[in-house]
Amino acid sequence: MKKAYSLLVILLVMASCVAPREVTQLTPEAPDGHYEMGREYISLSNDSIDVELGYDGIHGENLVFDFVVVNKSPGELFINPSDFYYVFLDSSTADSSKLPPRMALHPERVLYHYDETLEAKSGEKNVNSFLGILEAGFGLVANTTAFLATDNPGYIVDAVFSTLGSAGYYVTQDKMISEDISIIKEEKDIVKEEIFRLSHLPAGKVVSGYVYFPQNPDSGYYMFCFPVEDQLFQFVYHQRKIYQYF
């Protein structure tokens, strides 16, 4: 009986280790592109402009892409990321969507979200510090009372260590929150430097940057549209759910 019970426990542990997890996958409906820095870039071009789009991943509730423009024309190109958008498609060959387009997030809105997150984390850190001080105050009162009420050294030592343990929890939490804040600040600095902004691109030059689109978890196909001057570059991606085992 004990052997059977042990085998059951082992099987349950193994099953939990290989339990599937649902993952969103986004793949281009286009000829194979080329890979750089772990991304697959799909290229489109005309006589005066080359563009590339690489899917970077999901950040929060947004799809993130790296968009690249090469100006082969003799003049300057004006590129406004506020004009970027996508439409939903029923299939990869659909001509258009019955639903209205959804615009890309404005670069400043993306950065403002980081500020909101940092503000929330700072508030969490302040609350944690306050609770830690409050807990330490209660512990100090309890220890003082214990010291005055008893001459049992063991009881007093237990009370002191109990207070230290509670204080240690808040110290650990404070460290974890501080690390989160540091990571978010570093990420914000990278995004601030790399995000696609309003551009006046001289002839022969290249510009690139991150573009954020709000995700629709129920969409099967997206057509991402990038107006550049009088040209419209369109990329179709297929979104599906897959199960991965970890």
Side-chain angles (χ1 to χ4, degrees):
M1 183 65 182
K2 289 184 177 179
K3 289 184 178 179
Y5 177 76
S6 299
L7 179 59
L8 178 60
V9 171
I10 292 172
L11 290 175
L12 288 173
V13 171
M14 291 178 64
S16 66
C17 292
V18 296
R21 187 177 73 177
E22 189 178 74
V23 177
T24 300
Q25 186 180 68
L26 204 67
T27 54
E29 291 286 316
D32 292 340
H34 64 279
Y35 283 85
E36 289 185 22
M37 299 180 67
R39 303 187 193 97
E40 182 182 10
Y41 285 88
I42 306 301
S43 302
L44 294 175
S45 63
N46 58 28
D47 293 338
S48 59
I49 304 171
D50 287 343
V51 300
E52 291 184 342
L53 187 66
Y55 174 56
D56 193 70
I58 298 176
H59 186 275
E61 298 179 351
N62 300 310
L63 302 171
V64 184
F65 291 84
D66 187 28
F67 185 53
V68 184
V69 182
V70 182
N71 185 5
K72 300 187 299 181
S73 71
E76 183 180 74
L77 292 178
F78 174 71
I79 310 170
N80 187 354
S82 295
D83 294 335
F84 301 161
Y85 64 94
Y86 70 74
V87 294
F88 302 117
L89 301 178
D90 294 331
S91 68
S92 61
T93 57
D95 292 333
S96 61
S97 171
K98 297 178 182 179
L99 298 174
R102 298 194 67 181
M103 308 306 294
L105 272 67
H106 191 281
E108 295 305 321
R109 178 58 193 155
V110 175
L111 296 174
Y112 180 66
H113 176 71
Y114 281 99
D115 292 334
E116 290 179 319
T117 304
L118 287 170
E119 183 176 351
K121 280 291 181 182
S122 295
E124 184 181 344
K125 181 179 172 68
N126 291 337
V127 169
N128 180 75
S129 298
F130 172 76
L131 292 176
I133 293 171
L134 197 64
E135 181 79 15
F138 282 133
L140 181 61
V141 171
N143 289 338
T144 303
T145 303
F147 181 79
L148 295 175
T150 182
D151 56 358
N152 184 343
Y155 182 83
I156 296 173
V157 169
D158 288 344
V160 171
F161 275 102
S162 175
T163 301
L164 291 176
S166 299
Y169 166 80
Y170 290 103
V171 170
T172 301
Q173 285 294 107
D174 186 82
K175 182 179 179 181
M176 291 173 62
I177 297 171
S178 296
E179 289 175 351
D180 287 345
I181 290 174
S182 178
I183 291 171
I184 294 169
K185 285 182 177 179
E186 289 177 7
E187 185 176 307
K188 179 191 173 183
D189 289 341
I190 293 173
V191 173
K192 186 176 181 179
E193 183 71 23
E194 300 293 338
I195 200 166
F196 203 107
R197 296 181 181 277
L198 189 74
S199 301
H200 294 270
L201 185 62
K205 298 297 183 179
V206 180
V207 65
S208 66
Y210 293 125
V211 181
Y212 289 68
F213 292 96
Q215 183 198 18
N216 182 342
D218 299 323
S219 177
Y221 292 90
Y222 298 91
M223 182 166 67
F224 297 96
C225 303
F226 296 84
V228 180
E229 296 288 355
D230 59 347
Q231 305 294 319
L232 180 63
F233 297 94
Q234 300 170 317
F235 301 83
V236 177
Y237 278 75
H238 181 202
Q239 177 176 265
R240 61 194 181 100
K241 305 291 186 181
I242 63 172
Y243 289 93
Q244 293 183 349
Y245 291 83
F246 298 88

